[in-house]
Amino acid sequence: MNEPKRIVIETDDWQALKAYTAARIALGRTGVSIPLRESLQFKLAHAHAKDAVYSQLDVSGLQAALRSTDLPIYVVRSQALNRDVYLQRPDFGRLLAEESAQRLHESNAPAADISIIIADGLSATAVNTYAASVVNKLVETARKAGYSLAPITLVEQGRVAISDAIGHILRARLVLILIGERPGLSSPDSMGAYLTFAPEPGLTDERRNCLSNIRDQGLPPDVAVSKLMWLIDSAFRLQLTGVFLKDNDGSEPDRLPIG
């Protein structure tokens, strides 16, 4: 009786670099294919990414986590009635629903320096996990710096540009939106932050600054708050955001120990 043939997994010369990234590198080979373990992990990561896209904003959880800010919290929604419409019609996600716009108008909130918005975007999982810690720290730091704050707004089925209308209605000089980014196969929980000075409907993306990949394995929330405050201070000093406001606060990323 023949003994079963032993399967050999050929390792990759880049194996040592796997310690520095969650990216799919140095997978090894079994014959002409990738190993079964790596194939199954790829399918699991794809499932996590898909779950993130269809995850829901934890409105009650965020309201509870943000209570210590002592700021009013408004819950609004875009013109996308459900997730399927949101995914098929990105333009609807950029527009406030009429009843939500009316509610913000009727709030008669006083004009403020900064309006903070949290939107589900393409990964509510990301903002459910990281938005509260960023906002709580940011509110504390902004108040110490002397900035006034508008009510916090939670947006369901929202995209980045919806912040223009919200900031304009609330008469904010600058708007910050924290939003779930498009999930990657190694990052279903990545949160982005977009800053826009003098928000009004109709602005385009060159008027914004963005911090991306806010999460424990990317840009940690504490570091993100420091960078956001540097950008906010610079925006008020220069009276602008966008392509003419560069993130050159002097900090440098750590270098990989290669060579």
Side-chain angles (χ1 to χ4, degrees):
M1 181 176 178
N2 295 331
E3 293 186 2
K5 185 176 180 181
R6 184 180 180 188
I7 298 175
V8 177
I9 299 177
E10 298 179 31
T11 57
D12 192 290
D13 292 341
W14 288 13
Q15 187 73 26
L17 296 180
K18 290 175 71 71
Y20 305 106
T21 177
R24 283 182 167 72
I25 62 171
L27 303 182
R29 284 192 306 146
T30 301
V32 295
S33 303
I34 64 173
L36 176 60
R37 175 186 176 86
E38 298 295 343
S39 177
L40 292 176
Q41 287 184 339
F42 178 87
K43 291 178 180 178
L44 179 61
H46 184 267
H48 284 317
K50 191 173 181 179
D51 286 346
V53 169
Y54 283 94
S55 57
Q56 294 185 343
L57 195 67
D58 182 8
V59 173
S60 59
L62 287 168
Q63 287 174 316
L66 296 170
R67 195 168 295 141
S68 62
T69 64
D70 290 328
L71 289 169
I73 301 174
Y74 299 144
V75 182
V76 301
R77 60 179 306 112
S78 73
Q79 292 186 9
L81 298 178
N82 54 53
R83 203 59 174 169
D84 289 337
V85 173
Y86 176 83
L87 295 174
Q88 294 170 20
R89 290 293 304 267
D91 53 326
F92 285 0
R94 302 183 184 109
L95 301 172
L96 262 178
E98 289 186 11
E99 61 273 21
S100 293
Q102 184 65 27
R103 185 181 174 203
L104 291 180
H105 277 295
E106 293 173 352
S107 69
N108 292 318
D113 292 322
I114 304 170
S115 168
I116 298 175
I117 300 165
I118 300 171
D120 44 12
L122 286 168
S123 173
T125 299
V127 292
N128 291 341
T129 305
Y130 296 113
S133 60
V134 170
V135 171
N136 283 323
K137 182 65 175 177
L138 189 71
V139 167
E140 177 186 353
T141 309
R143 279 177 168 151
K144 288 180 180 176
Y147 294 111
S148 59
L149 296 162
I152 295 171
T153 310
L154 308 183
V155 186
E156 295 176 294
Q157 314 293 0
R159 294 183 184 268
V160 172
I162 203 169
S163 62
D164 295 336
I166 295 172
H168 185 65
I169 293 173
L170 294 178
R171 296 176 296 158
R173 297 175 65 199
L174 177 144
V175 67
L176 164 65
I177 182 169
L178 302 174
I179 190 166
E181 295 179 340
R182 185 185 304 277
L185 289 176
S186 61
S187 56
D189 58 347
S190 182
M191 184 175 73
Y194 292 80
L195 286 164
T196 310
F197 190 80
E200 60 178 344
L203 296 182
T204 49
D205 287 343
E206 96 283 356
R207 293 283 296 274
R208 317 184 199 283
N209 284 86
C210 174
L211 285 185
S212 183
N213 199 27
I214 300 172
R215 61 192 186 107
D216 288 339
Q217 294 78 18
L219 183 66
D222 285 350
V223 179
V225 171
S226 297
K227 283 188 169 290
L228 286 171
M229 283 308 304
W230 187 91
L231 287 168
I232 289 171
D233 289 339
S234 300
F236 279 106
R237 177 169 51 83
L238 299 174
Q239 302 286 290
L240 57 80
T241 49
V243 295
F244 294 108
L245 174 55
K246 305 300 182 185
D247 180 11
N248 55 358
D249 63 350
S251 60
E252 294 185 359
D254 294 333
R255 295 181 183 277
L256 291 175
I258 301 174

